[in-house]
Amino acid sequence: MQSLPVLQPPQLVHWRHILYLMARTPCDRTGRDLPPGTAPTPEQPAPGEEFYPFSDRADFMLADFFYTRNQMPAIGIDTLMDTWALKHPDTGPLFADHHNLYEAIDSIQLTDVPWKSFAVSYSGELPDEEDTEIPPWMTAEYEVWYRDPLAVLESQLSNPDFNRFGGDVMSGNWAWAQADLIAKGDEATHRAMFVLVILGSNKTTVSVATGQNEYYPLYISNGVVTNGARRVHKNAVLLLGFLAIPKTDRKYTNSDHFCQFRCQLFHGSIRAILEPLHSAMLEPRVTKCPDRHYRCAIYGIGPYIADYPEQCILASIVSDWCPRCTGKPDDLDGPSLPHTQGYTELLVKYLDLKTLWNNYGIAAEAEPFTTSFPHASIYKLVTSDLLHQVIKGTFKDHLVMWVGEWLEMEHGKSGAAAIMADIDRRIAAAPSFPGLGRFPEGQGFKQWTGNDSKALMKVYLPAIAEHVPAQMVRTLAAFLDFCYLVRRSLHSEMTLKQIQAALQNFHRERVVFEELSVRPGGLSVPRQHSLSHYFEVIQLFDSPNGLCSSITESKHIKALESQGLLSRSLAAVEGAEVVKETDPFEKEGEAVNGVRDVDNDVFLALTKAHGYPKRVEKLAVHINIPSLPLLVGRFLHAQLHPNSEQPWTSLPLHALPSADPRSFKVFHSAVVS
């Protein structure tokens, strides 16, 4: 395993970078510095404009009820307005009819970032022989929908819900290196803060009642918000566009020209979508921040969230090769060097396409989109993916499957079935406990999710003990050590050393699968090889749980709903591939302010309970938990003042905010898994 030096402990860089960001001087909208201590200018609408184009709150609330809550048909709106006119002949109805209502809604100025589109088609040479059929994909037009990335990012950065500077991705050495590059520029650049742009894409299929439709969402986030903000499915991750998915007849699917066009379409589309960002990567741009101050900002392409097949397309490499290093497919964990843009350009300059493909794993037909932007190399920006590399990859698709294959090789199909039944019995016998999932039928469920794999990890090791060789048990134990370490939200130099040690133990023990002929061809598989890069990736971008593909996958359902591509009724259909939102891998293991984070998922009851008091003080008496007001107040304080220097655990009740009874809901039960 390749050893890497410890550059900077991310926790130390974290505080340095917060100081760097906070030191960026607030300015006015023209970019002129403000005197120290100047409060941000409150931006409130003028009297009478709060609900424009509606005349008052009543008009606005009625429109909201008709259009979003009740979704009343047009004829229903007309009937209600006619009845209203009869009841109030002097003042008339709030809206003349449904046309008047829709016109008011369409004239709202505070809208989301508008959508645009462009069309792409093949521009290469066509077959010149008269008797040769022209493939349909060569004459088709492919539509790409997108939003202005700069406008989307500025909408995120101005959101006061994200009023916390630095931390997480901005704590890593890569962001610090980018900040150093900015500091070496002219005076205007030197005083600018760095806004790291995070991208992610993941093709998805909606296979229930929609005709097997495929969508290719492209998402955008930024490094100024925290990993936690990205994980809670809020607007810290926004839909940037829908990439085109070229299709063709079966006989052309694997043709070299079509594969080349497909890759070029992918990179060319992203390059065109991100073009509005280019100037903001070279010259500072006045940007509104979550604290309502304006600051000069320089933008830069940061890590890209993707699973392995997507990483191959991003890095323009051949499948089974590594996007981050030069390891060979038959020995990925052997000696290698970091993959760089300069290395690729040198090979492309002197070698033909066939040699590049076969000997170096480079698909040179398409140039990565990052080559068009300053200080961006896709080989460095392809990040680790906990979901597909660790949770569902190495654990579910490799180790669990290999254990089953060995049992069948050793005991035959009938003997293996009996042992698997006993393993399922042990898994099902796991007691109910907070943070521990239940599997009443063992591991025999039809469709695995990230949550299923996480939960099974906690009970799988003791379930297979005594049924498999001791070295297999040690292999699983070493892997679980590695898994739980890399899933932490905070990393120090000590945890990095522990990660390296756990990975070395895993590599040493996993050879049992090769020695027992479960993997006679060797253990060189891309997803397991990716584990060797976690040490470096954590140094560069801090905790991987803020850059996991589970974050983009969990956005699919909301993205499709928001664009009218998937109705809520369809989203509720059990079995739809994009429906189940897997909770990204939350904090685990380390104590913060004396509180230990526990890896779990909490599911509330489907309906709120009735008959419970709405005031926290009365509810505390009703459920016999006297400390409830204090606990709720401390929680609210932590959410409202994340940067407070005073620990929330030391504040008395009178200094804490109280819950508004109007927004207080009580659920009489919850399940923790």
Side-chain angles (χ1 to χ4, degrees), residues 349-421:
K349 182 178 180 179
Y350 293 104
L351 301 176
D352 60 85
L353 294 179
K354 185 176 181 180
T355 303
L356 289 169
W357 182 283
N358 294 330
N359 296 352
Y360 296 93
I362 296 175
E365 299 90 347
E367 190 176 49
F369 76 91
T370 50
T371 58
S372 301
F373 299 97
H375 313 305
S377 171
I378 194 61
Y379 309 109
K380 184 74 74 173
L381 299 179
V382 168
T383 185
S384 298
D385 180 17
L386 287 171
L387 178 62
H388 292 99
Q389 293 172 350
V390 179
I391 306 298
K392 295 176 70 175
T394 302
F395 177 67
K396 177 250 180 181
D397 293 338
H398 295 165
L399 298 180
V400 173
M401 185 178 296
W402 293 353
V403 167
E405 291 175 1
W406 179 83
L407 288 173
E408 193 167 309
M409 290 170 52
E410 183 72 11
H411 302 283
K413 289 188 176 181
S414 59
I419 294 175
M420 290 300 295

Side-chain angles (χ1 to χ4, degrees), residues 175-196:
W176 189 253
Q178 298 297 305
D180 284 345
L181 290 174
I182 294 173
K184 293 176 182 177
D186 55 27
E187 183 179 354
T189 303
H190 177 76
R191 57 190 282 272
M193 73 176 190
F194 176 56
V195 178
L196 179 152

Side-chain angles (χ1 to χ4, degrees), residues 225-242:
V225 303
T226 64
N227 286 348
R230 268 188 297 280
R231 293 197 301 266
V232 295
H233 316 314
K234 299 298 182 181
N235 288 333
V237 179
L238 290 174
L239 184 63
L240 179 61
F242 284 102

Side-chain angles (χ1 to χ4, degrees), residues 328-354:
K328 302 286 186 180
D330 57 351
D331 188 20
L332 285 169
D333 295 318
S336 64
L337 295 172
H339 211 143
T340 65
Q341 186 62 38
Y343 168 81
T344 299
E345 291 174 353
L346 187 64
L347 293 176
V348 170
K349 182 178 180 179
Y350 293 104
L351 301 176
D352 60 85
L353 294 179
K354 185 176 181 180

Side-chain angles (χ1 to χ4, degrees), residues 125 148 169 225-226 332 422 441 471 511 586 645:
E125 295 183 0
D148 185 326
V169 175
V225 303
T226 64
L332 285 169
D422 186 61
E441 299 179 1
Q471 191 170 352
V511 296
E586 298 291 347
E645 296 181 357

Side-chain angles (χ1 to χ4, degrees), residues 39-59:
T41 303
E43 296 186 6
Q44 297 179 350
E49 296 184 356
E50 294 92 340
F51 299 99
Y52 180 85
F54 306 100
S55 59
D56 53 28
R57 179 186 292 272
D59 282 15

Side-chain angles (χ1 to χ4, degrees), residues 545-564:
N545 69 7
L547 299 171
C548 178
S549 64
S550 62
I551 295 175
T552 53
E553 287 192 5
S554 69
K555 293 290 291 187
H556 286 342
I557 184 68
K558 295 182 179 180
L560 298 181
E561 277 184 2
S562 66
Q563 302 310 310

Side-chain angles (χ1 to χ4, degrees), residues 27 47 69 86 102 171 204 249 266 276 327 341 414 461 464 521 555 593 631-632:
C27 61
R69 298 177 184 272
L86 293 174
Y102 296 161
S171 304
T204 187
D249 298 339
F266 175 85
Q341 186 62 38
S414 59
L461 189 63
I464 65 170
K555 293 290 291 187
N593 290 335
L631 297 174
V632 171

